[in-house]
Amino acid sequence: MSESAAGSSLAGTSGRSVSPALHHQFEDIEQQREAGNFGMWVFLATEMLFFSGVFTGYIIYRSLYYSGFAAGSHVLEVDLGAAMTAVLLASSFTMAMAVHAARQGNRAMLLGFLSSTIILGIAFLGMKFTEYFHKWHEQLVPGLNFHPAVDALRGAPEHTVELFMCFYFFMTGLHALHMIIGIGLLGVMAILAWRGKISAEHYNRVEVSGLYWHFVDIIWIYLFPLLYLIGGRYK
Amino acid sequence: MSTAIAEVPVESRMHYLNASYGIKSWLFTTDHKRIALLYLGSITLMFFIGGAAAVMMRLHLIEPAGALVQPETYNKLFTMHGVIMVFFFLVPSIPATLGNFLVPMMIGARDLAFPRLNLLSWYVYITGGAITLYALISGGVDTGWTFYAPLSTHYVTTHVIATSLGVFINGFSSILTGLNFIVTIHKMRAPGMTWKRMPLFLWSMYATSVIFVLATPVIAIAMVLIGAERLLHVGIFDPAIGGDPVLFQHLFWFYSHPVVYIMILPGMGVVSELVTCFAKKKPFGYIFIAYSSLAIAMISFFVWGHHMFVSSQSVYAGFIFSALSFAVAIPSAIKVFNWTATLYKGSISYQAPMLYALGFIGLFTMGGLTGLFLASLATDVHLHDTYFVIAHFHYIMVGGAVMAYLGGIHFWWPKITGRLYHDGWARLAALVIFVGFNLTFFPQYMLGYLGMPRRYAVYPAEFQVLNVLSSAGASILGMGYLIPFVYLLWSIRYGPVAGSNPWGAKGLEWETPSPPPTDNFEETPRITEEPYGYAEPEHAHV
Amino acid sequence: MNTQDPSVGTYVFVFAVLLLLAALTTGIAYINLGPFNTVVALAIAAVKMCLVGLFFMHLWYSRGLARIVVLAGFFWLALMVSFTLADVFSRSWIKPPGP
């Protein structure tokens, strides 16, 4: 059924030096990198399915209670939302540049762009929590503090606006949680980079962190129009 | 029995069990084989806890008015039985034990793609299990393992949040395992190991892993939403604000139907290995068996609404789900036909693993056929929430999946431990289990047909005879499960030393010593032949 | 496996386009397009997603396997949404029998 490859050793064919970064289960560093990338893509597919549940619910209830969803959407602060979008897009840019720097083996550039991404991520979260605080102040938090002003309802039944706010908090809350995890991940990458553990040959960890970060950005790319811009802002 | 000359005695050769000693070498291991054993221990514990709940239920049901516990407690028993058996036993059973042990070996690799993630997945499993057991000890949950809203979100006073948190965390264990298998199978096959040269067990592990990664996140979000709604007293399933409780059912069953295929596909993979080895014949229709695993994984996602026929789901959606549910039976039937054709004119021997495999084929077929009554809208209206459903899924889960699991444990036991168990006791246990199982669950088909509802702590007196028969069967089944525990553990110390291939089976895992060295193979194998290279039987033309 | 990754110039250009599209989405919201507000907003979001995916996440330069995973994710999301929606919206088409 099988024959052992003559003369081959566990760590690679003779004559080729073994990278210290190579994990023992892989044959070469390229296989390791491919496996890492593929693994992260599979994980991102699981994240897509994780968010699918709330997106499904959102689509159903928006169709059933459009006026309530539009009213709830108008309560949200578009300028903050747009700013958050811009900040996240910028953080995706700096993240892509960080991966680029890692691939070049440029430690200074890598650290610079990783830090920028982290700072932009923290800025996003700062704006997000400011928004949440405003909502608390306006008494628009379902379950805990929901007493909307009459004109905030814009004629829609109050319970449908409350349902929208449930989605607002669940969806942006889940997203914010993923951002926090992402910032933590990038922090670990920054520490590794600082210690010189990221090289042009072994930069896959930064690469897969980037994939995760971009995915979280894509979720927000959809959340912004779906939550903040229902029915337009012209009235 | 042993076809290979015994090599250097186990004690003086280095292998994965004696490569390092001490509890830290086990708790911090990244060796897939040791992680498989960590899982084996923990899921066996969970099996006995879930089984204890079942024993209490069957004892309670010997009398129409209930013999053992209060109805509220009975509700907690069936809930915990379901939660523990589904999430903490059946789902990880074959993938996390046999899968973890065998996937790298069968593809000729030294380990899985991500060994540290593998260890993490065990710790995540332990954490989820500990939280769920905490919920059990501090008073339990009584919503049923299905956690339907608004019962679970608004009406019960039991530990829903702790249990749903335990299930949520445990889901990540599944996701990491599935992810690991997918990447390993795609990227780390040995030179010459094309997809069509892989053993069928790997095809079924791959299909199972696809379901793991696509379905499990949905139960995760469903559990998060249940917990959130319970904490906030408002949420997206709450009719008071326009929410729809049936939406929870959609999210729940989007995972929970594919999960039943997570529970059976690995068993089918094991049976393919057992049937070919103990009939000494290559599988009939290899490519059909392989592709049918993928087809089952795919179609399993299209049918979840058949759990919701009477939930106020639309009749038209019901039509579609019903028709698609008939479709999912087809690839399963293809496998049964192919296994049967493999047996035909094979050189069959009846060691314990083969007894389990044969039991699987018969009992899975019965369970599968009864599924058609439930897939059919018109009959399901009458059978839904009766004991017919319970009998159906226990035929598949216990008569199918658990028997395949035991068959696999017995088959690969010599490889895992380097020891042979006593086959006479093993065959006896298999027969006791078979008899006990049928006596337990066949009466339940009749009970369901006669109208006895499930999840009821009391029942009309006319159902007592069948209930007593079922409980008697359960006691036999329970004893049957205890017997392997004894002789398998005994064999570790006192069993005869197994060679590398005591069964004369084909497969990469049999070409390395028992127990295997830590890196599985002395040198990376090169595959040049088709799998299952058994000699052609003399008179066969299949 | 991608031996060829985007240049810095590509990244900068894509980023500029993304910012432009974000501004466009926000600006168009203030114009009355009726139901098309939603269509346009989602279309722009889809374009932004493709840009991030193809260039920042290197899908443009990747082998098929990563793309298949992405497509599978979308397919399963669509499956969940479509079947669930089909249920919700066809419930009223036939009433269950009863008084």
Side-chain angles (χ1 to χ4, degrees), chain B residues 363 393-404 437 441 477 481:
Chain B
L363 297 175
F393 68 70
H394 281 90
Y395 261 74
I396 312 237
M397 293 301 130
V398 182
V402 177
M403 292 196 86
F437 168 82
F441 291 106
L477 183 62
Y481 285 138

Side-chain angles (χ1 to χ4, degrees), chain B residues 244 250 301 304 313-314 321, chain C residues 76 79 83 87 90-91 94:
Chain B
D244 184 2
H250 278 294
F301 280 95
W304 79 85
Q313 174 180 265
S314 92
F321 281 123
Chain C
W76 258 260
L79 179 70
F83 276 46
D87 166 39
S90 61
R91 283 181 198 166
I94 186 168

Side-chain angles (χ1 to χ4, degrees), chain A residues 19-33:
Chain A
S19 161
L22 181 66
H23 293 145
H24 86 287
Q25 69 270 19
F26 293 112
E27 297 300 318
D28 53 57
I29 202 90
E30 191 52 40
Q31 186 191 38
Q32 181 171 312
R33 180 170 169 248

Side-chain angles (χ1 to χ4, degrees), chain A residues 217-232:
Chain A
D217 182 25
I218 289 176
I219 294 287
W220 181 261
I221 283 173
Y222 276 97
L223 287 186
F224 176 56
L226 287 176
L227 292 173
Y228 289 77
L229 302 178
I230 303 179

